[in-house]
Structure formats: structure tokens, C-alpha cells
Amino acid sequence: MFEINSRLYYIDNLKAFLIILVVLGHVIQTSDMDFDHNILFRYIYSFHMPLFMYVSAFVCYKPSQSWGVLKKRFRQLMLPFLSWAFINACLVGDFSVLIKNIFHPDTALWFLWVLFFITILYVACVKLGEQWNIKSEYIAIAVVAIGYSIMIVLKFKYFGFQFIAWYFPFFCLGAYMRKYESYIKRWMRILMCPCFILFLVSAYWWMRKEPPLFMNPSANVIYNYIYKGGVALLAVTSILTIFN
């Protein structure tokens, strides 16, 4: 079994790589008027945030969880988000901006808000699993199914729900991959090359706000989610293993 407190240097390198990708992605956004069709931008955005969520859970995983961890995560995530939202409202002289950032946290620092509420969901899954004496993985799968149903069918987008629902599976994947790391590491190495090649091929058609280029714009949105989730999963599996 792995040591929880051991330093994972390849994860440090991976985080540095992802930070560089974030900076590069924003540089492309500000320098290319048609950035959504920039091939490098599309490749970066097809996986970098799912992998960030994965890594966040991977490094924070513990065999048991307590509600107390949420206090720490609130200080780390929500205080910076709320502080910046307040400062931003002061700078523009309009405090309705503060309310807007809470109802629609999809501007700067949105990922802090999303990661905090994803952590709440994950800890709730673990605690319910302990209380009901079942594996938390089963509860997490149910939460993913409910979240995706609400996101796709009801198209509920308040309080960043669409981001929370979308990224929650990748967070859970990071936690459970760490949990079962000793059992699946060999299989990940076997799958690394095929997954990476499939990612390079499939991500070519990825679009940020539209269906993939090969898909009819009127196609069912479910196919779009399946495609984007598959591309991100291929990238997460292969890139993590490459760095390891």
C-alpha cells in the first residue's frame, strides 16, 4: 500500500505542467481572436481542468474523511474566492457583481468555488458509506448520475452547478485511483500508449462550447458529453502514467 504522507514528486511535476498549460491557454485566448478554433487551445482545454480536479483529489486522499476537513478547505478555497468577488465589486463600484459571482461563479477563480463544493459532495459520499456500511464508490456513482441528469435534462446552471456536476467524476476518479493505486498501476502502464494515441486522435475535433467538429450541431447533447468525458478520461489516464 502507498504511504499517505510520502511526497509524490511526479505529481509536483504534473501540477507545474498543468499550471504552464493554464497560462498558455489564457495567452492564446488573449492573442488569438478565433482561439476556439486554435488547435493547441483545443487540446489544452480538452483535459487540463479535469486533470486538475483529478490531481486535487489524488494528493488529498485519506482512507477516512471527517467533516473537519471542510473548514480547512473553506479557508483555502472559499475565502480567496469571496475575497476576490468582494474586491472586484468594490473596484467596479457595483455590489450586484458580488451577488452575480455567487449565483453564476463562472468568471475568475470559478474553480475554487467548484472544488470546494465538489469536496463537500465527496466527503458526504464517504461519510454516508461509513454510516450505511457500503462502499462510498457506489454512492459517488449515484451522485454522478443524479448530477448529470439535472445538468442535462433540467439544464440547471445556478451556483456553478453545471461545473460541479461535470468535474465531480474526475475528482472521485483521482481519490479512488489513489485508493486502489497498488492494484491498477500495472494496468495503467499497459494502457498508457493506446490511451495517449487515442487522446491525440479524438481531441482533434474537441470544441469548447460546441459539439465536436465531426458531430452534427443538432445531435443530442448526451453524445457531446460522452465524447468530451471520454477525451478527458483518455488524457487523464495516459498523462498521469507518463509523469509517473
Side-chain angles (χ1 to χ4, degrees):
M1 293 296 291
F2 59 83
E3 293 292 334
I4 294 294
N5 295 322
S6 61
R7 187 77 181 186
L8 300 173
Y9 293 105
Y10 77 92
I11 292 293
D12 291 337
N13 295 332
L14 179 57
K15 288 189 289 186
F17 172 69
L18 290 172
I19 290 170
I20 292 171
L21 290 185
V22 170
V23 174
L24 180 57
H26 284 292
V27 168
I28 295 173
Q29 277 186 304
T30 56
S31 60
D32 188 345
M33 294 294 291
D34 191 25
F35 61 85
D36 271 322
H37 288 88
N38 184 296
I39 185 63
L40 181 57
F41 175 86
R42 300 206 318 265
Y43 268 102
I44 291 172
Y45 271 67
S46 69
F47 76 90
H48 78 302
M49 287 310 302
L51 189 50
F52 256 125
M53 295 297 174
Y54 178 103
V55 170
S56 296
F58 193 88
V59 298
C60 296
Y61 170 78
K62 293 181 180 179
S64 61
Q65 293 284 349
S66 67
W67 291 110
V69 71
L70 298 181
K71 295 180 180 179
K72 178 180 179 181
R73 300 303 274 170
F74 184 87
R75 293 194 300 268
Q76 293 174 330
L77 301 171
M78 289 301 287
L79 282 184
F81 176 86
L82 294 174
S83 297
W84 170 246
F86 177 77
I87 293 172
N88 187 39
C90 292
L91 290 175
V92 300
D94 183 2
F95 281 90
S96 67
V97 173
L98 177 60
I99 305 300
K100 181 181 179 182
N101 283 336
I102 292 175
F103 275 89
H104 299 284
D106 54 357
T107 55
L109 303 186
W110 62 270
F111 56 92
L112 299 179
W113 173 282
V114 170
L115 184 54
F116 176 70
F117 285 99
I118 284 177
T119 304
I120 293 177
L121 285 178
Y122 173 73
V123 173
C125 290
V126 173
K127 302 307 291 183
L128 286 174
E130 294 173 354
Q131 183 177 342
W132 295 342
N133 196 30
I134 62 175
K135 287 189 174 183
S136 63
E137 290 91 322
Y138 300 141
I139 301 175
I141 290 173
V143 171
V144 169
I146 293 171
Y148 271 53
S149 298
I150 295 173
M151 176 178 64
I152 295 172
V153 177
L154 301 180
K155 298 181 180 179
F156 186 81
K157 294 185 178 181
Y158 291 106
F159 307 108
F161 180 85
Q162 74 275 28
F163 301 119
I164 297 169
W166 174 249
Y167 289 113
F168 180 65
F170 298 102
F171 185 92
C172 290
L173 183 64
Y176 295 127
M177 290 283 273
R178 184 78 190 275
K179 179 179 180 180
Y180 299 110
E181 184 181 20
S182 59
Y183 302 106
I184 62 177
K185 184 180 292 186
R186 176 174 174 269
W187 289 106
M188 288 183 66
R189 289 174 179 170
I190 293 174
L191 294 172
M192 178 186 69
C193 287
C195 285
F196 189 66
I197 293 171
L198 283 173
F199 161 69
L200 292 177
V201 173
S202 59
Y204 179 80
W205 293 280
W206 191 94
M207 294 296 292
R208 185 170 62 105
K209 291 186 175 181
E210 302 171 10
L213 296 175
F214 65 82
M215 191 178 294
N216 191 314
S218 61
N220 193 306
V221 68
I222 294 177
Y223 297 130
N224 188 23
Y225 280 117
I226 292 174
Y227 164 78
K228 288 187 175 179
V231 168
L233 184 60
L234 288 170
V236 166
T237 302
S238 55
I239 293 174
L240 179 79
T241 310
I242 289 170
F243 273 81
N244 194 0

